[in-house]
Structure formats: structure tokens, C-alpha cells
Amino acid sequence: FPPAGFVITPGDCNDNNPNVWPGTTEVCDDGIDNNCDGQIDEGCSITLNLKLFIEGYYIGAGLMQPVLFNTGLSLNDTDCDSVIVELYDQFSDTILFSNTVILNTYGLPSVHYPNSLYGGSYFIVVRVRNAIETWSKLPVTFNSSSVYFDFSSQ
């Protein structure tokens, strides 16, 4: 017989944990197969939050000009420019991901990556149309569902 408060369910991969059972929602970053499907933290993603400013667009007080808005390329008055964010393997020159995202006037773009990057360390590279590409000085470890890197203080 199971202990008080627990039931033995066919397919349940952990009768000792009441939060683990077939069909439940996967909880990200807990390292547990919550829904007993044989995968840990599936369906989760990692959000990379960056802080960066583009020389020539910076107007002070942590703000940049809304260049995309001012030129009529965006209806959002906080859209500064598009940037390319790339992740490189820390041991080779291999590019793993490349994403184009909108940089807002506060210098805060966000990029979403698959959870398979969890636990790895990667160089972050930012490319902008009128600026020199910028690399993180050291590889950045992706050890949670939200990773923050500040290029403005590097």
C-alpha cells in the first residue's frame, strides 16, 4: 500500500513525489521529469536578456534614439534598431544560433533559445549594421531559464 496521501498510478514515475505524475505540466529549471514522459524540462526555453547601447544612437540617461520609429520603419516609439545576436561554442569558432531581434531605446533586447542549451557556456556576439561586432569577454553560462548579460559594463 502507498503511504498516506499518495496513490500508485500506472505510469507514475515517482510515487514519492505528489507533484510528479503523468499529464501534469512540466516545471522548468527543476531538473525533474514532472510529467513522466522520459524527458526533463522539455518544452521549456531559455531567455537571454541583454543590455547594450549603440554608439551614435545613445542620447544619455540610459536611452537611445528610436531610429526605426523616426525613419518610419516601425510604429513602436521605443524601437531603436534591429541587432543580430549570435551564440558561439566556447571551444571553437562554431556558431550555434543566430537571431535578429529588435533593440529598444532602453538597450534591452531579449532572445529565446531552446532548453537544450541549459548548463552550457557560450560566447555572445552582437552585430549591428553600423557598428563593430562585439563579443562577450568570457563565455556566459546558461544556468537558468533567464540569463542576463550587460555589454554596457563589460
Side-chain angles (χ1 to χ4, degrees):
F1 291 97
F6 295 91
V7 296
I8 297 177
T9 303
D12 190 340
C13 55
N14 187 345
D15 283 329
N16 295 316
N17 186 337
N19 299 315
V20 173
W21 48 274
T24 192
T25 302
E26 191 69 37
V27 177
C28 297
D29 289 340
D30 68 352
I32 297 172
D33 179 13
N34 305 97
N35 57 9
C36 299
D37 67 352
Q39 299 178 50
I40 296 173
D41 295 342
E42 77 281 357
C44 300
S45 65
I46 297 173
T47 301
L48 172 61
N49 297 296
L50 298 172
K51 182 175 181 183
L52 61 109
F53 298 107
I54 300 173
E55 187 175 355
Y57 295 167
Y58 189 72
I59 56 177
L63 291 171
M64 292 182 288
Q65 299 176 37
V67 177
L68 293 179
F69 176 76
N70 290 346
T71 57
L73 296 173
S74 173
L75 298 176
N76 187 332
D77 65 357
T78 64
D79 285 351
C80 176
D81 206 347
S82 61
V83 297
I84 298 171
V85 179
E86 299 174 337
L87 293 185
Y88 279 78
D89 179 84
Q90 69 173 327
F91 300 112
S92 69
D93 288 336
T94 304
I95 186 170
L96 302 173
F97 287 93
S98 180
N99 302 83
T100 301
V101 295
I102 297 296
L103 175 66
N104 64 30
T105 54
Y106 301 100
L108 303 171
S110 293
V111 189
H112 301 282
Y113 294 107
N115 198 49
S116 60
L117 295 180
Y118 188 87
S121 296
Y122 311 94
F123 283 104
I124 302 170
V125 179
V126 175
R127 299 176 191 266
V128 183
R129 58 188 163 133
N130 289 325
I132 297 171
E133 76 178 27
T134 304
W135 287 62
S136 56
K137 180 178 179 180
L138 299 170
V140 176
T141 302
F142 283 53
N143 56 4
S144 73
S145 60
S146 182
V147 177
Y148 178 77
F149 187 80
D150 185 348
F151 275 101
S152 69
S153 66
Q154 182 170 282

